[in-house]
Amino acid sequence: MNNFKFAKKSASMALIASLTVGMLSCNNESDITYSMGNDYPEIEVSNMGAWTTTRSSSDVYMPVLHFKDEQTYNKTLLKVKEMDDTQKMAFFKELGFDGAYAIRARADKELDAIFDYDGTDSLYVAKLINDYKEKYSSNLAFNKFDTYDVTPYLTFTDENLALVGNASGYVVIGNSLKRPVNNSPTFDYDMNESIVYPSSDNVKSKSTRAGASPIEPGFKGFSNASLTIKNGKYKSTMTIGRIVNGNSFAIKFETKKKVLFWKKNASASYSLDLGLHSSIYNCKDRVICPNGASVSILNLRIETVGNVFNADVTNFTSSRGKAIGNQSYQGLRVI
């Protein structure tokens, strides 16, 4: 029985990138000075008004991180990506910087507290949510297409600036203002086409992992190929599908937390055992998707399995609880 075959070229590049990141972070760990009092600090908290005159008056005093140069920016970005959530928050607190990451993390924590409500008074919850959305309306965006999705979204789409950018996604590098790639939010309203997904980075393991480096291939789920497990207020769903622009099978994961009519996205890690069977292919392997990733790309080409196949999903679990899901699928079709 064969294991899923990783795409050699992309896997090798991912491994090299992973090793490169590791070496850079180790070699340069002591090179960055997070000092706010020096005459020429490598990183300082400035304000938008010092770097542009085209912003609205309300944004003139918005804080923005000023990096001495491109090298400082890149080194800092690598370090921040290696941190866990607690370390990231401590880092920004030490800098005295309240940017996109800290604002969204704080907003999500507050929303979690609202969603912990166990009563049935929808008017009470509606007021809490309306007050919450009004509080964060100047810095965050909320889903225009699904009024019951109250997940806090950034007002821009850029993986790097979501970490080190200010509330509007800006940083200053040298004497230049760096803007977000996409100056609009990516709402979770079309799960098949609109989300940015990480790619696989573990090329030595027999498990398939979604890593931390994003690509934008687009995901398309197959009909009747989903499985949902429930853990209290959390529902975690896996969907078998494909990468639209990469010609590989993939599995998308998502977790929602609900209170009465309302829902929000919740981060989680996932694992399952996946068997794919067709007239030309027969394989079973472990799939792992870590926290912070949304899709595990199997690096398994569509033509290797065929356009019609059966699938067995066993031991589907989420870090949001202990529920286990199992399901078999007959006659799935690639679309």
Side-chain angles (χ1 to χ4, degrees), residues 104-334:
R104 183 168 59 172
R106 185 167 61 249
D108 193 63
K109 186 175 181 180
E110 289 184 25
L111 188 59
D112 256 339
I114 296 174
F115 273 58
D116 287 337
Y117 174 69
D118 289 323
T120 59
D121 188 344
S122 60
L123 293 178
Y124 171 72
V125 176
K127 184 181 186 310
L128 290 178
I129 289 176
N130 287 337
D131 291 345
Y132 165 83
K133 292 173 73 172
E134 182 177 354
K135 176 181 178 179
Y136 285 101
S137 61
S138 61
N139 288 323
L140 297 170
F142 297 94
N143 200 330
K144 302 176 182 178
F145 307 93
D146 184 351
T147 57
Y148 290 108
D149 174 16
V150 291
T151 303
Y153 295 88
L154 295 177
T155 59
F156 60 92
T157 304
D158 188 301
E159 180 213 9
N160 293 334
L161 295 177
L163 289 177
V164 297
N166 65 12
S168 295
Y170 290 80
V171 297
V172 178
I173 302 175
N175 294 318
S176 300
L177 194 66
K178 181 178 177 65
R179 305 169 184 270
V181 172
N182 179 12
N183 201 23
S184 61
T186 301
F187 294 124
D188 182 12
Y189 67 93
D190 183 353
M191 301 307 295
N192 288 336
E193 301 295 342
S194 302
I195 309 302
V196 177
Y197 298 117
S199 62
S200 179
D201 70 349
N202 187 346
V203 298
K204 292 184 177 180
S205 171
K206 292 183 179 180
S207 299
T208 300
R209 285 184 180 268
S213 300
I215 57 177
E216 301 182 14
F219 174 85
K220 183 71 173 179
F222 301 149
S223 299
N224 302 314
S226 295
L227 173 61
T228 297
I229 54 177
K230 185 175 181 180
N231 291 291
K233 291 188 175 184
Y234 294 95
K235 287 185 177 181
S236 297
T237 301
M238 74 94 225
T239 301
I240 302 171
R242 62 174 299 188
I243 298 304
V244 176
N245 299 322
N247 194 33
S248 173
F249 284 92
I251 300 179
K252 187 181 81 67
F253 299 91
E254 67 175 0
T255 294
K256 301 284 187 181
K257 186 177 183 180
K258 296 194 69 176
V259 58
L260 301 179
F261 312 115
W262 295 273
K263 60 188 176 183
K264 66 179 290 289
N265 294 338
S267 61
S269 57
Y270 311 90
S271 63
L272 58 81
D273 295 310
L274 176 67
L276 296 180
H277 319 286
S278 70
S279 60
I280 59 174
Y281 189 83
N282 186 32
C283 175
K284 184 175 182 180
D285 209 342
R286 185 76 169 162
V287 178
I288 299 172
C289 189
N291 199 337
S294 300
V295 162
S296 181
I297 300 175
L298 303 183
N299 290 317
L300 177 65
R301 297 177 66 82
I302 302 299
E303 55 266 29
T304 301
V305 179
N307 289 325
V308 180
F309 63 96
N310 300 330
D312 297 310
V313 174
T314 56
N315 301 314
F316 170 40
T317 60
S318 162
S319 60
R320 288 295 184 174
K322 297 182 178 180
I324 299 175
N326 302 285
Q327 189 165 327
S328 294
Y329 307 86
Q330 303 296 316
L332 294 180
R333 292 182 176 274
V334 175

Side-chain angles (χ1 to χ4, degrees), residues 26-138:
C26 291
N27 292 339
N28 296 308
E29 183 174 0
S30 61
D31 291 347
I32 302 172
T33 303
Y34 303 111
S35 173
M36 307 307 296
N38 296 340
D39 290 335
Y40 302 97
E42 290 192 327
I43 307 173
E44 66 175 355
V45 178
S46 184
N47 62 70
M48 291 291 290
W51 303 100
T52 179
T53 59
T54 60
R55 307 283 300 176
S56 65
S57 58
S58 62
D59 290 338
V60 168
Y61 298 105
M62 179 183 290
V64 62
L65 281 185
H66 175 206
F67 298 89
K68 184 179 72 172
D69 49 33
E70 191 78 28
Q71 183 182 14
T72 302
Y73 169 75
N74 290 330
K75 288 190 296 186
T76 304
L77 189 59
L78 287 175
K79 286 182 67 68
V80 173
K81 285 183 176 182
E82 292 173 350
M83 298 175 184
D84 61 26
D85 293 340
T86 301
Q87 292 170 328
K88 288 185 179 77
M89 292 298 289
F91 168 72
F92 291 121
K93 183 177 181 180
E94 182 180 355
L95 283 180
F97 178 62
D98 196 33
Y101 181 86
I103 292 171
R104 183 168 59 172
R106 185 167 61 249
D108 193 63
K109 186 175 181 180
E110 289 184 25
L111 188 59
D112 256 339
I114 296 174
F115 273 58
D116 287 337
Y117 174 69
D118 289 323
T120 59
D121 188 344
S122 60
L123 293 178
Y124 171 72
V125 176
K127 184 181 186 310
L128 290 178
I129 289 176
N130 287 337
D131 291 345
Y132 165 83
K133 292 173 73 172
E134 182 177 354
K135 176 181 178 179
Y136 285 101
S137 61
S138 61

